[in-house]
Amino acid sequence: MKRYLLFTLLAGIYAYTAQAYTTLRMQDPQRTWVSFQSKLDTAVVSIKPKGAYFECGLYLTFSAGPNISNYNYYNPDTFEMQLFFDLPEGSFVNDSWLWVGNQIVQASIIDRGRAQMIYEGIVNRRKDPSILYKNSNTQYELRVFPVDKNEKRKVKITYMVPASWSNGRASCPLPLNILKASAQAPHVEVLSYTDSDWSAPVITEVPGTVFQPVQGQQFTRAVIPSSNVTNLTGINYSLLSPMQNGMYTALYQTGPNQGYYQMVMMPLQAAGINLRRKTAFLFDYEGNSTTAPAAVLAKTRQILLDNYQPTDSFNLMFSQLSIYQYSNTWLPCDSATINTVFNALNLQNPMSAYSNLPSLINAGIGFINSTGRQGDMILFSNTDNFSTISAANQLITDLLAAMGPTRIPVHVVDFQDANVSYVWSNGTYYYGNDYFNSNIAALTGGIYETVRLQNYYYYNSSYTRTLSETADDLMQQVQGSVNGFDSYLTATNGFCYGSYDNAPLGVLSVNKPYIRVGRYTGTAPLQFHIAGSFQGTAISHDLTTGTTANADSFTKKMWIARFIESMESIANINSQQKGEIMDSSINNRVLSRYTAFLALEPSDTVKACDNCEDETNPGNTTAIDDLEDHTGIKAFPNPFSGNLTIKVYLEEGDATLKVYNTMGQLVKTFELNASMGNEVTVTWDGKSDTGDELSSGVYIVVLETKAGKKIVRVVKS
C-alpha cells in the first residue's frame, strides 16, 4: 500500500511539473483558496531588431474575467494578479513597467530578498506595487497588487529573445503561451520597427497579415485575430535581415578600440556545407488532434523557409480518396515558390477528415522512385488506424517491398493528442500509431518524433509538446550537426575574449544559427576560424566577418545576460559570486535569479517615469512631479458607494481636479479657483462629465496646480 501511495505521489509530481509553466490567475493574497483564471483584455507586442536578439515590449491589460462570477458572494477589496510565464531559451528580461492610472512607473531593480520584503509588506497594507522575478533560465513570475474585481490593470514586460535566422530572414516567436493563459484569448497588435537593414515584416503562420503605417510613428502595425491565438501552436514574426554570405557581425564600442561584439553565423552558407535535399511532405489528418489543419500547413511552410535552401526541392501530398499530389515534379525551395504554394493551399483546404495512410505513403514512394530515386519523406499524421501489431507489421512489409532495394527514409511527426488508443506488446505500451511509426522510421533510416509523452504511467493528453516543438526537434536531427565543433575569433590588431555561444557541448546543428557574444580589443573586421566533423568528414574554414554593423548598448546587455546565466549555473555558488551577479544585474538592468524588478505607487520618494513612451498610446503619458508640502488632497469615504468627498488644500492660484479610470481615460473634471479659498471641498457623485453612472472599480483623482500634481486612488463599490 505504501508503494502504491508513493507511486501515485510521484506520478502526480511528474504530471504537475510536465505541465506548461505559464498560468494567469487572480488570487486573494489573504485568502489563498480564492483563486481563478484571469483574463487578458488587450495585448500589444512591439518588436525591434537588435541583431542576434530581438527586443520585445509586451504590453498587457488584464482583468478578473468571466470566472469572477463564481465569487459573486465574496467581495474582497482587492486581488493579486499572478502571471507565471516561460520565455524561449537564451531570453532575458530587461525592464518592467506598471501603470497607475495614466501614469507609468518604471520598476527599480534591486536584490530579490529586499524587493520581496517590500512587496509583501505593501500587499499587507493594501498599496500599489508590481514585482517581477526570474525563477529559472526560462521561467518568470510577475505579481501585481491590488486589482479590484471590476478593475483593469496594465503592465509592460520588456525582454530580449534570440533571433532565428534562415534564407535571408531573422525571426522571433510571439509569446503565444502567455496569450493562451488568458480565460479568453485576446487579439494581438504587433508593432514592427524596420529600417534600411531590417525590412518586410511577415507573420509566418498568418498569411496575408498586413502591416499598416501609423501616422507620426517609426513602427507599422498589424493585428492578429484572437481566433489565430486560440488555434495556432506558434506564431512567428520575421524580417529581411542584413546577413551577408551567412554572417552577421555588430560591434558596440565602449572605449578606444574596445567594446562588445555580437556575431551570427549560418553553417550551411558560411562554411559551404552543401546538403541539396529533396523532401516529399505527406499529410494524413484524421482529426485526432488539438492542432488545426491550417496550423499544420503553417508549420510546414515555416519548416521549408527556415531549413531548406533555394537549391533544395519539395513536394506535398495529402490523404484523400485518391491521393492529392500538389505537383508532378519537384518544386524549388525558394521563398517565392513556397509562399505561392501555401497561399494556394490555404484556399484549397486539401486535408480530408479521414486517414488513407497506406495509399499516401505508397504515393510518396512512387513519386520519389519515378523522379530519380533520390529524396526522403516527412509524414505528418494523427491517425491510430494501424495501432495493432499485426496490421502495422503487414503495412510495413508492403511498404518496404514497394521501395525496393533502396530504402527511402520516412520521418514521422505524430501529433495525435486526442482519442489516443493503446496496445500492450512484449512488455511495452504503444500509443496510437507508435509501433508503426517508430518501426517504419527505424527500418528506413528515418526519425520519429511525437507530441505525446512516452511513459504510460504519466501519460495525459494535457501534457504534450506542441506540434511546432516536435517538428523542430525532428528537423534538427534530420539536417545533421557539426560534431566536435571548435572555433576561434580574433579582431584586427587585437583579440576577442569573454565569449559565450549557443554550442557549449561542441555540437552545432548545420541549419541553426550559431550565435556568439563577447568582448574585443582592436578593430573590425573580425577573423573567424571554425572546425569540426560533418557526416564523418573533417571540415575547416577561415572566415572574415565582412561588413560590420554599429550596435547599441543592447549588445552589452546581451553579454551581461550570458555572463549572469553562466554564473547562475555554478553548482555551489558562494556569496561573492552571488554579489557579482547582483551587481551586474542591477548596474545593467538585466534580471537575474537574485534580483527583482519592483514598481511602487508614485509618492514623494517614488517618481513616475517622464521619458517612458507608451507605444500603445503615444503622446498621452505624463509624469507626476513632486509637489510642495503645502499642497495636498484627501478623499473619503474610501471605498465609496454614494458620494465621495474630496478635500483639496491650495496656497494660491487656480487648479483643476481630474478623475481618471484605470485605462487613463478622463471621466470627470472640476475647475477650482483662488476665490474658493485655501481649503476646497468637492463632492463627486460617481458620475462622468456627461452624467453617466460609472461602473464600480478603481479611479485616480489628480489635482493639477502650478506647483505640480498630486493623486489619490479611490474605489467605487
Side-chain angles (χ1 to χ4, degrees):
M1 182 65 178
K2 289 182 179 179
R3 289 186 178 182
Y4 175 79
L5 290 174
L6 177 61
F7 175 83
T8 304
L9 175 61
L10 292 174
I13 292 172
Y14 183 95
Y16 175 79
T17 57
Q19 295 184 62
Y21 180 78
T22 302
T23 57
L24 175 65
R25 67 186 182 187
M26 290 289 185
Q27 185 177 66
D28 181 352
Q30 297 183 0
R31 301 171 180 84
T32 56
W33 64 87
V34 180
S35 177
F36 52 90
Q37 188 178 20
S38 182
K39 174 177 175 285
L40 291 176
D41 293 274
T42 63
V44 179
V45 185
S46 66
I47 306 178
K48 301 176 183 178
K50 297 292 184 180
Y53 285 70
F54 280 11
E55 181 192 16
C56 297
L58 179 59
Y59 296 84
L60 302 174
T61 302
F62 54 86
S63 62
N67 294 322
I68 188 64
S69 61
N70 296 328
Y71 297 91
N72 283 336
Y73 66 91
Y74 177 69
N75 190 32
D77 56 346
T78 49
F79 286 99
E80 180 184 57
M81 189 283 295
Q82 302 171 353
L83 173 62
F84 295 82
F85 63 98
D86 294 278
L87 291 177
E89 193 76 38
S91 302
F92 61 92
V93 173
N94 60 293
D95 210 353
S96 176
W97 296 357
L98 172 69
W99 269 251
V100 179
N102 68 333
Q103 314 300 321
I104 297 174
V105 179
Q106 185 178 29
S108 300
I109 186 168
I110 61 177
D111 69 90
R112 181 165 177 157
R114 187 159 60 98
Q116 188 169 4
M117 288 177 61
I118 294 172
Y119 180 83
E120 294 300 335
I122 291 174
V123 168
N124 289 332
R125 298 199 310 270
R126 322 298 275 186
K127 295 278 187 179
D128 256 294
S130 72
I131 195 164
L132 178 58
Y133 300 124
K134 176 183 179 183
N135 292 330
S136 75
N137 283 346
T138 61
Q139 296 175 332
Y140 296 83
E141 171 186 347
L142 173 69
R143 294 174 180 264
V144 177
F145 183 91
V147 184
D148 185 87
K149 68 178 184 179
N150 298 310
E151 182 184 15
K152 296 181 180 180
R153 297 302 303 269
K154 184 175 179 179
V155 298
K156 180 187 179 186
I157 303 168
T158 305
Y159 63 93
M160 303 285 287
V161 58
S164 296
W165 300 64
S166 64
N167 292 343
R169 299 190 72 87
S171 66
C172 73
L174 299 186
L176 198 61
N177 58 326
I178 296 177
L179 307 178
K180 285 178 176 287
S182 172
Q184 295 174 353
H187 71 265
V188 185
E189 295 183 33
V190 181
L191 310 181
S192 170
Y193 285 81
T194 58
D195 55 31
S196 58
D197 291 329
W198 304 86
S199 60
V202 169
I203 302 295
T204 308
E205 290 78 14
V206 190
T209 302
V210 178
F211 284 85
Q212 301 283 0
V214 179
Q215 186 175 4
Q217 299 302 316
Q218 300 178 22
F219 55 77
T220 56
R221 173 182 175 273
V223 177
I224 300 174
S226 58
S227 58
N228 293 119
V229 174
T230 300
N231 295 326
L232 294 177
T233 57
I235 301 179
N236 290 271
Y237 162 94
S238 73
L239 291 170
L240 284 175
S241 75
M243 178 176 281
Q244 297 178 357
N245 302 317
M247 296 284 292
Y248 171 85
T249 310
L251 303 182
Y252 171 59
Q253 189 170 339
T254 57
N257 297 330
Q258 64 178 316
Y260 296 81
Y261 71 85
Q262 54 169 299
M263 186 193 72
V264 183
M265 180 198 69
M266 297 300 298
L268 277 178
Q269 296 96 321
I273 297 174
N274 188 4
L275 291 177
R276 298 191 68 85
R277 299 190 56 217
K278 294 182 177 181
T279 300
F281 290 86
L282 281 55
F283 303 91
D284 190 63
Y285 192 96
E286 194 177 18
N288 297 321
S289 176
T290 58
T291 305
V296 181
L297 289 178
K299 182 58 187 178
T300 307
R301 183 203 296 246
Q302 182 188 341
I303 287 172
L304 283 163
L305 291 171
D306 290 352
N307 296 279
Y308 288 76
Q309 305 301 310
T311 52
D312 296 331
S313 304
F314 77 102
N315 200 358
L316 306 170
M317 299 179 181
F318 299 85
S319 276
Q320 293 183 0
L321 189 61
S322 297
I323 300 304
Y324 172 59
Q325 180 174 305
Y326 186 87
S327 174
N328 293 323
T329 60
W330 290 108
L331 300 168
C333 289
D334 59 89
S335 59
T337 300
I338 293 169
N339 288 323
T340 297
V341 168
F342 281 87
N343 288 342
L345 288 174
N346 286 332
L347 298 175
Q348 295 173 17
N349 190 24
M351 289 198 192
S352 65
Y354 56 85
S355 172
N356 193 357
L357 186 61
S359 297
L360 179 65
I361 301 178
N362 188 53
I365 294 169
F367 172 74
I368 292 174
N369 281 340
S370 66
T371 54
R373 303 185 66 82
Q374 292 183 342
D376 59 1
M377 291 181 278
I378 295 180
L379 169 66
F380 285 86
S381 175
N382 62 7
T383 184
D384 57 4
N385 284 352
F386 291 86
S387 59
T388 64
I389 306 302
S390 58
N393 284 338
Q394 184 62 60
L395 179 56
I396 291 170
T397 299
D398 292 344
L399 293 174
L400 294 179
M403 289 183 188
T406 302
R407 294 287 187 256
I408 299 172
V410 179
H411 313 292
V412 184
V413 177
D414 181 355
F415 60 104
Q416 183 183 9
D417 58 6
N419 307 316
V420 184
S421 62
Y422 64 89
V423 296
W424 170 265
S425 178
N426 296 323
T428 302
Y429 281 96
Y430 294 98
Y431 288 87
N433 265 13
D434 277 345
Y435 179 85
F436 169 79
N437 292 335
S438 59
N439 280 281
I440 192 65
L443 292 171
T444 61
I447 305 295
Y448 171 47
E449 290 288 341
T450 176
V451 299
R452 300 185 302 275
L453 295 179
Q454 293 302 289
N455 188 306
Y456 165 69
Y457 295 106
Y458 305 143
Y459 171 72
N460 185 301
S461 62
S462 298
Y463 313 140
T464 62
R465 294 186 293 174
T466 65
L467 169 67
S468 182
E469 293 167 338
T470 307
D472 286 343
D473 287 345
L474 182 138
M475 289 306 304
Q476 189 163 351
Q477 297 175 70
V478 168
Q479 297 289 91
S481 301
V482 177
N483 297 314
F485 176 75
D486 199 2
S487 64
Y488 180 76
L489 184 68
T490 185
T492 301
N493 301 317
F495 55 90
C496 297
Y497 65 102
S499 65
Y500 298 97
D501 62 25
N502 61 341
L505 300 178
V507 178
L508 181 66
S509 178
V510 298
N511 213 26
K512 296 292 182 183
Y514 171 70
I515 299 176
R516 179 168 175 159
V517 295
R519 308 182 70 172
Y520 75 92
T521 293
T523 59
L526 305 182
Q527 307 296 323
F528 190 43
H529 175 75
I530 62 172
S533 173
F534 180 68
Q535 295 182 347
T537 301
I539 59 172
S540 177
H541 290 274
D542 289 306
L543 307 167
T544 300
T545 56
T547 303
T548 302
N550 292 321
D552 58 22
S553 59
F554 279 95
T555 298
K556 180 180 179 180
K557 284 183 178 285
M558 297 173 196
W559 187 87
I560 292 293
R562 296 306 306 272
F563 167 76
I564 289 174
E565 184 179 315
S566 68
M567 292 289 288
E568 288 175 338
S569 66
I570 297 174
N572 297 308
I573 190 167
N574 58 41
S575 57
Q576 181 180 351
Q577 292 163 332
K578 290 180 182 178
E580 288 185 63
I581 293 173
M582 286 191 286
D583 288 345
S584 298
S585 172
I586 293 169
N587 292 336
N588 296 278
R589 289 185 67 82
V590 174
L591 189 61
S592 75
R593 298 187 201 181
Y594 302 102
T595 54
F597 277 115
L598 179 67
L600 303 177
E601 181 176 337
S603 64
D604 292 337
T605 56
V606 178
K607 307 297 186 298
C609 184
D610 59 2
N611 60 356
C612 294
E613 181 186 356
D614 183 357
E615 297 156 301
T616 68
N617 195 17
N620 288 342
T621 299
T622 56
I624 300 175
D625 302 319
D626 282 340
L627 293 180
E628 299 296 332
D629 291 340
H630 54 255
T631 304
I633 180 174
K634 294 181 179 179
F636 55 89
N638 192 9
F640 73 100
S641 58
N643 291 332
L644 177 72
T645 300
I646 307 169
K647 280 196 173 183
V648 174
Y649 302 90
L650 301 173
E651 185 173 284
E652 60 181 359
D654 298 337
T656 303
L657 195 64
K658 296 180 178 180
V659 182
Y660 296 87
N661 61 21
T662 54
M663 297 301 292
Q665 298 168 321
L666 180 64
V667 296
K668 185 70 177 179
T669 303
F670 299 92
E671 296 295 341
L672 312 178
N673 56 65
S675 63
M676 295 179 177
N678 298 117
E679 182 176 323
V680 180
T681 300
V682 175
T683 300
W684 180 41
D685 59 5
K687 296 181 180 180
S688 69
D689 280 327
T690 58
D692 297 324
E693 186 71 36
L694 296 172
S695 62
S696 300
V698 178
Y699 293 87
I700 295 85
V701 182
V702 181
L703 173 66
E704 297 181 357
T705 71
K706 291 180 180 179
K709 301 176 184 177
K710 199 73 171 180
I711 73 169
V712 64
R713 204 166 183 274
V714 298
V715 178
K716 185 175 186 292
S717 59

